[in-house]
Amino acid sequence: MAFPSDFLFGTATSAFQIEGAWNEDGKGPSIWDTFGHTPGKVYRDVPADVAADHYHRYREDIALLRELGVGSYRFSMSWPRILPEGTGRVNRAGLDFYRRLVDELLEAGISPLATLYHWDLPQALEDRGGWANRDIALWFRDYAALVFEEFAGLVPRWATLNEPISMWVGYGMGTFAPGHADPRLGKQAMHNALLAHGEAVRAFRERDAPGAEIGIVVDIWKRHPATDNPADQALADRDEDDSFRFFFNPLLKGAYGERIVERLTPEGTMPDVLDGDLELIASPVDFLGLNVYSRVVVSAENDNPIWWESDSNRLGGNFLDNGLEFYPRAAYDAIRLVRDEYGWQGPVYITENGTADADDADPIDDQERIRYVRGFLEWIERAVREGANVRGYYLWSLLDNYEWNAGFSKRYGIVHVDPDTLKRTPKASFAWYRDVISRRGVA
Ligand code: FCB
């Protein structure tokens, strides 16, 4: 296995999951701060106030990245750390934090990939309707424009949104912050997220940032029908339409598509789409970020709309100790899907891929993670060899961190973080990945 010399190996994190310092230096609360402080919403009712304390330990964490030898690092900026009320007043200390982070990365020769939004909406904006309010496209545009100016010439690659399906989980289902369970609101929030993405892309193009690139990160959990029964295929289509196709259709084809419109309209969940929306959403991007973890096998006889919350009772086979199906071909299929079904020829980055330690796994000797990542890298390398335009791979995640409503119960890091002392200890996968990076492939 040998990756091209310009292929970027990296790791990925997000602000809310690692930073902590939730109310320090002028940061405003996010919807996830509110959620975590609301009883019954997150694992053991423990909020991410401290998380992995990266806000104070970022130098140590960048030293780990340096030791690992990554060419790039994907992280996100916290909107409420920069704009505590979401709009208007700028918190200089927040911008300065990211400035120090970016400077330190550049000094280490690590290319930053910054995500503008990884789920931590300012609570002040949720109080004005949040993602369900169409105005958010303009709020997001102003936040993006501010950050683009601040980091012009420093950050070569930007992602607007991470996994906009989170809008569905937060507004349509209620299991993520802000916790609304209204399908109509959920679909409108998804549409508004795409508008916000389009506004940010336009704002980016208006500023001259020679060589800098902008894209979006979408997760692909391809659905496989359990049998060749047409009902299973119909379910697979429906679930893909409700997830990644809901984003790729307008982003890459400029329309939601008949199958979506014809199902959602009679249900009353089709979002309001105004003149010009689809053109805005389809503003050309420079790259696609794909998050790939596994696939989902669906059966009409056994439909499980919250498959990702139940580790047991899943269809498929070859399960990891944590319950996830080990299906490394998913990366290859995702790369082919955007090219063959959407005609996407531009660069693709695998912006997240990783797995959680099983509850009873050795906290340091994480052999299962090594097996998992190796399997995915083999399929990605195959796609590259066959000519796919894949430019990089980001392992989720550098550190054990705060896994949303699962709190600290799911550990995804190649570096163990002691929940009490916050001490960092590289796991076996850290040394293994360092070796992969240095030889540009798996031995
Ligand atoms: C992805 C999220 C990321 C993390 C991983 C495990 O869906 O983008 O923040 O939670 O899953």
Side-chain angles (χ1 to χ4, degrees):
M1 199 201 294
F3 284 88
S5 58
D6 56 354
F7 187 90
L8 285 174
F9 287 99
T11 63
T13 60
S14 88
F16 176 77
Q17 293 177 275
I18 62 169
E19 284 179 6
W22 78 289
N23 59 1
E24 282 179 50
D25 295 344
K27 176 181 169 293
S30 79
I31 54 175
W32 273 97
D33 293 316
T34 306
F35 207 63
H37 287 107
T38 307
K41 299 295 187 192
V42 301
Y43 181 75
R44 291 195 177 154
D45 283 342
V46 177
D49 296 1
V50 178
D53 197 33
H54 171 76
Y55 186 76
H56 298 114
R57 295 169 197 245
Y58 69 95
R59 286 211 165 82
E60 185 185 344
D61 295 338
I62 293 174
L64 285 164
L65 288 172
R66 209 192 263 262
E67 197 185 324
L68 195 57
V70 292
S72 182
Y73 172 57
R74 174 172 179 241
F75 65 99
S76 78
M77 294 185 180
S78 160
W79 187 348
R81 195 178 289 291
I82 294 173
L83 294 162
E85 287 90 32
T87 58
R89 188 176 63 89
V90 176
N91 179 34
R92 190 64 239 177
L95 280 175
D96 287 347
F97 168 69
Y98 296 110
R99 194 57 188 256
R100 291 195 300 275
L101 180 75
V102 167
D103 285 348
E104 191 94 2
L105 286 168
L106 294 173
E107 213 165 283
I110 299 168
S111 171
L113 164 48
T115 305
L116 288 171
Y117 184 77
H118 200 126
W119 307 358
D120 46 355
L121 183 72
Q123 179 60 43
L125 295 183
E126 173 56 21
D127 297 342
R128 296 159 74 184
W131 286 103
N133 182 343
R134 220 188 130 83
D135 291 346
I136 196 155
L138 302 178
W139 304 335
F140 187 70
R141 177 199 64 192
D142 293 348
Y143 158 54
L146 169 78
V147 168
F148 294 151
E149 305 234 313
E150 179 73 23
F151 294 94
L154 296 174
V155 172
R157 221 166 274 115
W158 294 92
T160 53
L161 306 174
N162 177 71
E163 299 192 1
I165 193 64
S166 56
M167 312 302 172
W168 173 254
V169 190
Y171 289 81
M173 300 180 57
T175 45
F176 274 5
H180 305 300
D182 177 340
R184 152 98 203 129
L185 218 59
K187 287 291 194 284
Q188 189 65 49
M190 287 159 77
H191 178 70
N192 294 345
L194 289 170
L195 296 177
H197 158 82
E199 289 288 358
V201 172
R202 278 193 188 163
F204 186 76
R205 301 287 179 227
E206 278 162 18
R207 279 160 190 81
D208 198 21
E213 297 174 1
I214 193 161
I216 185 169
V217 171
V218 176
D219 52 319
I220 297 187
W221 293 78
K222 180 117 189 74
R223 302 315 199 267
H224 291 233
T227 68
D228 51 20
N229 182 336
D232 289 351
Q233 182 61 53
L235 190 58
D237 290 343
R238 185 201 69 185
D239 286 1
E240 291 190 351
D241 285 348
D242 279 340
S243 54
F244 61 86
R245 293 193 193 280
F246 192 92
F247 307 115
F248 286 140
N249 291 0
L251 284 165
L252 302 175
K253 290 185 166 170
Y256 279 106
E258 262 172 44
R259 204 166 66 194
I260 290 181
V261 176
E262 283 171 10
R263 181 167 53 87
L264 299 194
T265 306
E267 267 180 27
T269 57
M270 188 65 205
D272 298 329
V273 179
L274 306 187
D275 277 356
D277 282 5
L278 292 164
E279 290 74 16
L280 175 65
I281 294 169
S283 303
V285 289
D286 302 310
F287 70 88
L288 285 184
L290 306 180
N291 291 355
V292 192
Y293 287 87
S294 188
R295 65 167 178 176
V296 191
V297 180
V298 295
S299 156
E301 273 180 13
N302 188 3
D303 185 15
N304 178 7
I306 49 159
W307 48 270
W308 66 89
E309 299 248 319
S310 51
D311 289 341
S312 57
N313 196 22
R314 244 184 221 170
L315 301 171
N318 204 6
F319 296 105
L320 300 169
D321 291 343
N322 64 14
L324 187 75
E325 184 182 7
F326 178 52
Y327 191 75
R329 191 193 161 106
Y332 180 83
D333 289 346
I335 292 161
R336 295 281 303 256
L337 184 144
V338 293
R339 190 188 69 188
D340 298 347
E341 295 188 40
Y342 288 93
W344 174 257
Q345 306 280 345
V348 167
Y349 292 87
I350 301 299
T351 33
E352 283 180 30
N353 170 248
T355 190
D357 293 327
D359 294 343
D360 57 356
D362 186 297
I364 305 298
D365 190 21
D366 56 342
Q367 294 301 320
E368 192 166 61
R369 176 170 293 106
I370 293 175
R371 181 164 77 94
Y372 174 96
V373 174
R374 171 203 291 269
F376 276 81
L377 285 176
E378 281 167 358
W379 278 101
I380 294 164
E381 196 259 353
R382 172 166 170 178
V384 173
R385 215 178 334 116
E386 291 176 4
N389 195 1
V390 188
R391 304 280 185 89
Y393 171 86
Y394 294 84
L395 204 166
W396 183 275
S397 186
L398 175 65
L399 305 170
D400 286 345
N401 59 51
Y402 189 88
E403 178 54 25
W404 309 109
N405 53 345
F408 292 112
S409 69
K410 298 248 180 276
R411 289 166 287 119
Y412 277 89
I414 57 173
V415 174
H416 177 264
V417 178
D418 185 292
D420 302 315
T421 64
L422 300 164
K423 183 177 180 311
R424 276 89 165 124
T425 310
K427 302 182 189 178
S429 58
F430 182 95
W432 176 84
Y433 191 42
R434 186 180 53 203
D435 190 55
V436 168
I437 296 170
S438 74
R439 61 172 91 220
R440 315 204 63 74
V442 176

